[in-house]
Amino acid sequence: MMDHEKLKEIMESIREHIYKDDLDRDQFEKFIVAYHQLSKTISESQNIKNKNLLEIKNSFKQSSSLKEILDNMGDINTRFPSYLDEYLRVTLEPPFLTPSSLFEPEGALSLDVHTPFGIRSVRAELALATLFPGSLTFRYGRPLKIRVGMWHNIFRADLASTHVLSAEPIYQIDINGTSKSVYRPITLRTIRPNGGSKGFRICTSCLALDDDDERCNHQSIRRLNVRNYPRILKTIGSSTPISSKNLGPLLSNLIRKVRLYEPFEARITVLGAERGITLRDQSRIANIQYDPPIGIVLQTTGLGFEIIIPNDFISTVTRDAMLQRDLALQLISVKIYGLLSESNIPLYSHSLIMSAIISSLGMDQTRNIETIQERLTRSDFVQRTMNALSLESNFYSRIQFNQDNIQSLLFNLQLTEISIDAIQSHARYVLLHTISHNILLACCITSGSKLGDLDYILNENEIMIFDSVNGGNGASKMAYEYLKTSTEFNIKNYIKQDKIHEFLKPTSFEESFIEMMLPCLGNISNIVFLNKNLSLPESESRRRYLELNEKRITYEPAISRLRDLGIENLFPASIGYHSIYDFGDSLEAERFRELSDICVHGCPECSILGSKCNHGRFVEKYFLSKILQNRYMTHQLSDYIVDINTEYNVDEHFNAKNFLIFTIDCQNNDYLKYKERLMNYVNAFTGKKYGNKYIKFSGLWFDNNYDAENMITYYALLVKI
Amino acid sequence: MVHITEENVIIVDCELLIKECIKANDGKLAFVYLISPFMTNFRIPKTLTTFYSNFLNISDIVFFSDLVRMLANYGCTIYILTKPLTNQDNTNLNKWYFDNHSDLIDIYKAMKAKIRYNSNLHAKATITSQGVLVGSFNLTTSGRYYNIETGNYFSNSSGIEKEEYQKKLDWGISIYNASVKP
């Protein structure tokens, strides 16, 4: 066999001759092609000769897996598939792997959107959040709607016949005890809607859009602005913790441990969409359920915050009659929310129905849950509620209900269990959910992310925060790195160069999370406003108080009504349209509704996430409780709270524990005097040494106690560092 | 009275200034005298400035000057008494220190702090309406973290401690007044 190098030499000499002989162009090209082919064949034959059996076997395996990938790609049911990018990517190996797009994170899942202007590829998680079926979009230049089909008769959208979904379900989810298959969307189809930036033609009765996709038979078509929100369920797949941290003083009383999960598998399922309009200053919302639900699986990075919720706290706090009644109200509200779609009733009727139920169960009068349960199961409950609902709907917007549907809903509602067990279980969930909102916000602040960059899932006592993009975006990892551990601080540690960065890291998580867990000024100023004889100590709370006070003259009847009801009854008062109070004037009733929706209970504005909430913006307030959160904080810190007027062995305390909270109750409106007394008391501990640690003043806040409404209490935090 | 060493001087420093912010927030007379012949702008560990409140905003503090700026923003009067460093050639200080000191004085001037110089100054003190910190420590990175130092803290509380506080305050005011304006 001729030597490879010798052959190459011969070919090179031929090439030189051809150049010299000035061959015509066609012949020259033929030679160059032949030259390259031959050269390639020779080098390949050389490589094969050098390969051993194992390498040949490995190459064979690799070619089999490549064939498998190509076969799988061939099975993908796409209308206008382009395999080129995917094909090129499987033929390359790191570090030569090209990103699928320069502007997308590596490993991003994508799906196709079939528009009149061509196929557009969109990141899957973005599509589920903004381009879900039934939504309207302006992102392709002209208004487009993602098709949803005719859903208005049964409030269910058949997605399998409207869009291209994966052939097999990607996972199963459990919804109210029923297992449902979830499919991955592959191609979403769109349609040009009737309307644009000045509103869309929509049926005000069922909220179906007037287009060829979901047209209804009602006659009440108007051009209005339409709001759409997806209803998303997030669950956890297989996830592995790779490290964990114990937090420092105060936080360690609330969070047992923080774990970093990598990979973290999040299953994002879109169960349906909420569509809303505003008609005559009132909001109307319809709930569309997807059949089947669609979803994706994200492989990302996550954090797990294990929250300490002692059983004795739940059993103690739910003994409070006001909280019991409010939690029962939340339970009923959540149950109705679920029943509305099943009974084919638009979601906007929720408030009216709730208002009628509050009236028929007398929940604005009684706080005893046994009485509420007994009234709910009575045979005349349905009729009494129907009467109240009729009064309510006639008074306001004269909405016509299908009587059979309402009756069916109320009969189903009668099966709801309003027991202490159900309330305790709801209380635990509501508390965990409220804390999860605070943790998500604190993580966003710490990592400098937007709400869209992070997401959350509740998993028993663990709140999971994760990057909301496949492959992760670094936000949760950054929040984890900035979490301060219980590492001891002292100057000797600090000045060691290898430790210094630990102590210079921002404490944004601790500060923002704890401050969100403290009593909020809105809450305090509203309580104080309703207890007319109390002034306010701090300038910001005074400003909020004055803001409410500005409304005093115009809102006088509503304010009187609220003061008569008392703070403990504000939550039921804030739900519904309140014709039951018979103001005889719709404007007055509206003013009452507006004023009662203030931050006393169930209106935790600082924790509200809107459409980012896992339960959707409409029912969010039925899964949050600021009062529960405040009581939880007080309970968790109770062993550390000491009134400065009581006898207490502070030295003994500091020798055993790492922080202490001094309090003082203000007996009159001279708050500055009491605050000064507290500060003077705290001053005595400045720089004091306990063991090898020193006392540091680390916090000052105030609260208004619900149990003693005319009282302001100041708290000063001392930490041993 | 509390004995102060290099281990707790920065803790007491930060605490004194944060408490003065609270007082200023209440609309009461709040002030601070920072007396030190040498001053540099040093970093403060976040652990020392972490503060939880539902009505006060104590945040974004990285350097000591940030803490002083926060005081100024809350309406507290800031008095600075230091050595005049006008010509590096007359000192044995290195250029880095010399520049840092001048830059810091410029930062304090921009905060409308009232600055005075005294070429004989050797005393070191931080005096607020709530307490006084006196000792061997300069208001520099070395004085706060690296050197072995000693001193005392007197709070404006009651009895002998209050008397001591008052004496130190009067002393601080008098040497400040006796010093020259820039």
Side-chain angles (χ1 to χ4, degrees), chain A residues 287-320:
Chain A
N287 191 359
I288 309 166
Q289 277 192 26
Y290 294 162
D291 188 17
I294 52 174
I296 51 164
V297 179
L298 296 181
Q299 293 289 342
T300 181
T301 311
L303 298 181
F305 293 82
E306 191 183 336
I307 307 295
I308 305 165
I309 304 182
N311 288 334
D312 70 305
F313 164 69
I314 296 292
S315 54
T316 311
V317 80
T318 47
R319 270 185 225 134
D320 179 297

Side-chain angles (χ1 to χ4, degrees), chain A residues 355-578:
Chain A
S355 187
I357 288 171
I358 289 168
S359 165
S360 70
L361 293 179
M363 290 180 90
D364 47 345
Q365 311 285 332
T366 182
R367 288 189 259 159
N368 186 324
I369 58 157
E370 282 159 12
T371 312
I372 293 168
Q373 175 79 73
E374 190 267 322
R375 286 178 185 170
L376 181 70
T377 47
R378 259 192 223 166
S379 55
D380 64 342
F381 163 74
V382 174
Q383 195 49 51
R384 277 188 296 118
T385 311
M386 296 287 283
N387 293 343
L389 187 62
S390 159
L391 177 71
E392 190 86 351
S393 53
N394 285 337
F395 183 78
Y396 257 95
S397 43
R398 299 184 185 280
I399 296 167
Q400 295 302 314
F401 288 107
N402 181 322
Q403 301 287 314
D404 294 341
N405 290 350
I406 292 286
Q407 275 188 357
S408 144
L409 179 142
L410 294 173
F411 281 129
N412 278 327
L413 185 68
Q414 283 190 297
L415 304 174
T416 307
E417 190 194 352
I418 311 287
S419 63
I420 193 72
D421 285 347
I423 283 173
Q424 284 184 353
S425 155
H426 183 68
R428 179 180 285 277
Y429 182 82
V430 165
L431 175 61
L432 198 66
H433 186 243
T434 311
I435 297 173
S436 72
H437 278 207
N438 294 341
I439 288 185
L440 180 71
L441 289 166
C443 283
C444 283
I445 292 167
T446 311
S447 59
S449 315
K450 289 188 286 183
L451 273 176
D453 297 326
L454 285 167
D455 232 319
Y456 73 101
I457 298 176
L458 302 191
N459 182 28
E460 294 184 359
N461 272 355
E462 199 169 19
I463 294 165
M464 318 299 292
I465 305 288
F466 60 96
D467 298 346
S468 56
V469 62
N470 199 43
N473 54 24
S476 55
K477 217 175 216 176
M478 184 186 265
Y480 182 75
E481 278 170 15
Y482 279 1
L483 275 174
K484 282 274 186 299
T485 57
S486 48
T487 315
E488 289 180 10
F489 171 83
N490 61 49
I491 292 298
K492 281 173 195 152
N493 269 348
Y494 173 67
I495 59 180
K496 278 182 195 164
Q497 286 306 309
D498 59 330
K499 294 268 182 189
I500 201 162
H501 67 279
E502 277 296 320
F503 299 110
L504 293 174
K505 275 181 188 172
T507 50
S508 319
F509 182 84
E510 286 89 330
E511 283 181 338
S512 46
F513 176 65
I514 293 287
E515 287 185 359
M516 276 187 277
M517 294 295 284
L518 294 179
C520 78
L521 292 184
N523 182 304
I524 297 168
S525 46
N526 287 328
I527 295 170
V528 170
F529 173 73
L530 291 169
N531 291 309
K532 340 166 217 197
N533 298 323
L534 204 62
S535 68
L536 273 157
E538 303 299 339
S539 54
E540 176 58 20
S541 57
R542 270 201 300 275
R543 190 189 64 72
R544 287 168 189 248
Y545 177 88
L546 290 173
E547 200 178 297
L548 282 170
N549 210 32
E550 280 293 301
K551 295 179 177 174
R552 196 169 41 83
I553 299 167
T554 330
Y555 287 64
E556 191 52 50
I559 291 169
S560 306
R561 176 81 203 168
L562 282 176
R563 282 178 175 157
D564 291 346
L565 277 172
I567 289 160
E568 67 276 10
N569 289 319
L570 279 183
F571 186 53
S574 70
I575 303 170
Y577 293 87
H578 314 290

Side-chain angles (χ1 to χ4, degrees), chain A residues 68-88:
Chain A
E68 201 177 309
I69 292 167
L70 289 172
D71 288 343
N72 286 340
M73 284 165 64
D75 290 336
I76 295 172
N77 192 4
T78 318
R79 276 189 72 130
F80 298 104
S82 167
Y83 302 137
L84 187 64
D85 288 346
E86 286 80 357
Y87 177 75
L88 283 176

Side-chain angles (χ1 to χ4, degrees), chain A residues 492 503 505 507 511 515 519 521 538 672 675-676 683 686-687 694 696-702 721, chain B residues 2 6-8 10 12 15 19 22 26 28 43 45-48 50-55 145-146:
Chain A
K492 281 173 195 152
F503 299 110
K505 275 181 188 172
T507 50
E511 283 181 338
E515 287 185 359
L521 292 184
E538 303 299 339
L672 287 185
K675 188 157 76 168
E676 208 169 296
N683 262 345
T686 302
Y694 294 92
K696 185 183 98 68
F697 172 53
S698 295
L700 182 70
W701 63 90
F702 74 104
I721 57 168
Chain B
V2 179
E6 69 281 0
E7 285 190 357
N8 61 347
I10 187 68
V12 176
E15 192 171 320
K19 279 179 185 160
I22 295 168
D26 289 340
K28 292 199 166 185
R43 279 173 181 269
K46 276 304 290 183
T47 317
L48 302 185
T50 302
F51 194 83
Y52 310 126
S53 179
N54 59 359
F55 62 93
Y145 298 125
Y146 293 98

Side-chain angles (χ1 to χ4, degrees), chain A residues 169-239:
Chain A
I170 50 172
Y171 54 86
Q172 302 283 322
I173 51 162
D174 183 70
I175 300 173
N176 301 327
T178 314
S179 176
K180 284 200 170 182
S181 301
V182 180
Y183 291 76
R184 190 167 81 84
I186 291 163
T187 303
L188 294 174
R189 296 200 178 102
T190 60
I191 188 171
R192 290 285 299 276
N194 264 331
S197 54
K198 289 180 181 168
F200 294 89
R201 284 175 58 81
I202 188 167
C203 168
T204 55
S205 177
C206 68
L207 304 199
L209 284 169
D210 181 35
D211 57 31
D212 291 339
D213 179 44
E214 51 182 293
R215 190 192 299 271
C216 68
N217 299 322
H218 302 113
Q219 300 300 313
S220 47
I221 304 289
R222 299 262 306 262
R223 183 182 277 261
L224 292 167
N225 285 322
V226 180
R227 303 181 301 272
N228 289 295
Y229 304 100
R231 282 198 307 113
I232 295 178
L233 177 72
K234 296 155 201 162
T235 46
I236 306 166
S238 62
S239 301

